[in-house]
């Protein structure tokens, strides 16, 4: 039906979380490790941050576990804010800002997983 959220039918949460883990391990973490890596991968890093912001909206939408949980939504908002900060650091050619945003992303993930991961 029009306006229905089809994401839970298209992709399950574990697959999306695996995508986040891959992105952290092979992309965001590696690309913010030092100034040279940041500068070599700045455009791809900004795109990855954008993808993560979209995926955060997806896993917080109706049909997914915890979609109606205020604390879970707060964690997703903090995560998305850190991703936006990463994008801004890329736009500003700011490696230190990117490293700080990456740390904020990791912190938001760890806090959420402490409460929601079995």
């Amino acid at each position: 039906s029009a306006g229905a959220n089809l994401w839970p039918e298209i992709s399950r949460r574990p697959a999306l979380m695996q995508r986040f883990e891959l992105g952290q391990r092979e992309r965001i973490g590696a690309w913010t490790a030092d100034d040279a890596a940041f500068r070599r991968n700045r455009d791809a890093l900004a795109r990855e941050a954008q993808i993560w912001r979209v995926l955060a909206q997806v896993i917080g939408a109706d049909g997914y576990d915890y979609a109606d949980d205020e604390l879970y939504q707060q964690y997703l908002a903090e995560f998305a804010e850190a991703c936006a900060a990463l994008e801004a650091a890329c736009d500003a050619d700011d490696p230190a800002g990117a490293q700080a945003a990456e740390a904020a992303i990791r912190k938001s993930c760890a806090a959420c997983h402490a409460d929601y991961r079995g």
Side-chain angles (χ1 to χ4, degrees):
S1 69
N5 179 28
L6 299 178
W7 280 109
E9 296 174 31
I10 295 168
S11 186
R12 294 192 174 114
R13 178 188 308 278
L16 296 174
M17 296 309 288
Q18 287 174 347
R19 175 57 178 82
F20 282 128
E21 290 171 10
L22 171 99
Q24 177 60 32
R25 183 178 61 250
E26 296 181 8
R27 297 174 184 156
I28 289 181
W31 296 343
T32 57
D34 58 55
D35 291 7
F38 170 80
R39 293 217 161 83
R40 274 193 315 274
N41 297 287
R42 188 177 65 160
D43 292 340
L45 183 59
R47 283 191 303 275
E48 187 70 9
Q50 291 169 355
I51 289 168
W52 280 24
R53 286 176 66 196
V54 169
L55 292 179
Q57 287 184 334
V58 168
I59 65 172
D62 288 340
Y64 282 99
D65 291 341
Y66 315 117
D68 59 351
D69 185 309
E70 281 186 46
L71 180 60
Y72 182 74
Q73 290 296 330
Q74 179 182 331
Y75 284 136
L76 288 175
E78 291 169 4
F79 177 83
E81 186 177 306
C83 290
L86 181 55
E87 287 180 67
C90 291
D91 290 345
D93 192 25
D94 178 9
Q99 290 172 344
E102 189 271 340
I105 289 168
R106 278 187 288 112
K107 182 180 176 184
S108 70
C109 290
C112 186
H113 290 174
D115 285 339
Y116 292 95
R117 194 183 246 180

